[in-house]
Amino acid sequence: MAIRQILRMGHPNLRRVAQAVDIARIDSPEIKLLIQDMVDTLADSGGIGLAAPQIDEDLRVAIIEIPGGPTRYGDIEAMPLTVFFNPVIEVLDDQCEGFWEGCLSVPGLRGFVERPQHIRVTYTSAAKQTEELELRGFLATVMQHEFDHLDGRLYIDRITDTTLLAFEDEWLTHNSAT
Ligand code: NI
């Protein structure tokens, strides 16, 4: 197992559009090792999602694992550990709702971001199958946040009201969890 260093905002490699994963290579030792490193790194960080560019790998893959129940994002729906290769998002309803987001690459900050709340995600699974998920609410926000990393975007870029950007400890002091 290997816990990898997470790039922080300011590192130029967080701003690249990542390369598609060659599906034929999903079960190669290199990709399996990468996924294991991502799982180890995410578990160590206490986060709920991690994209390969955050550990300086130029590939379109992200993992998400949401334990559910009370978390630092409030009381949320669980999602078992899932690996998304080459995910594509389709917005099914462009009505937006906001959540206070945080990011392992932007440590110590929280920002309020509004995003569409009904999406479809199409991706290739670790078993090389094409899968589809229809998601609403917070899970829709989580997917959009993670997959933005594959296009070199951070949630900071999507904040429309900069008065709603805060240090996490101040935010915790002055806001009740959503
Ligand atoms: Ni992030």
Side-chain angles (χ1 to χ4, degrees), residues 24-92:
R25 292 188 57 231
I26 280 180
D27 47 14
S28 68
E30 295 77 21
I31 297 289
K32 284 186 168 170
L33 188 62
L34 168 62
I35 298 304
Q36 190 56 53
D37 282 359
M38 289 175 69
V39 170
D40 293 341
T41 304
L42 181 62
D44 178 66
S45 73
I48 57 177
L50 185 71
Q54 292 181 277
I55 58 166
D56 206 7
E57 297 284 350
D58 186 20
L59 288 170
R60 300 185 78 79
V61 55
I63 63 171
I64 291 170
E65 183 175 29
I66 304 175
T71 72
R72 67 191 182 116
Y73 294 100
D75 201 0
I76 55 177
E77 201 179 331
M79 170 171 271
L81 177 66
T82 307
V83 183
F84 299 86
F85 290 100
N86 303 333
V88 175
I89 287 175
E90 181 188 350
V91 174
L92 300 177

Side-chain angles (χ1 to χ4, degrees), residues 100 106 109-112 155-156 159 161-167:
W100 284 88
V106 191
L109 294 181
R110 286 291 201 97
F112 189 78
Y155 81 83
I156 297 277
I159 293 175
D161 178 354
T162 52
T163 68
L164 301 177
L165 176 63
F167 287 106

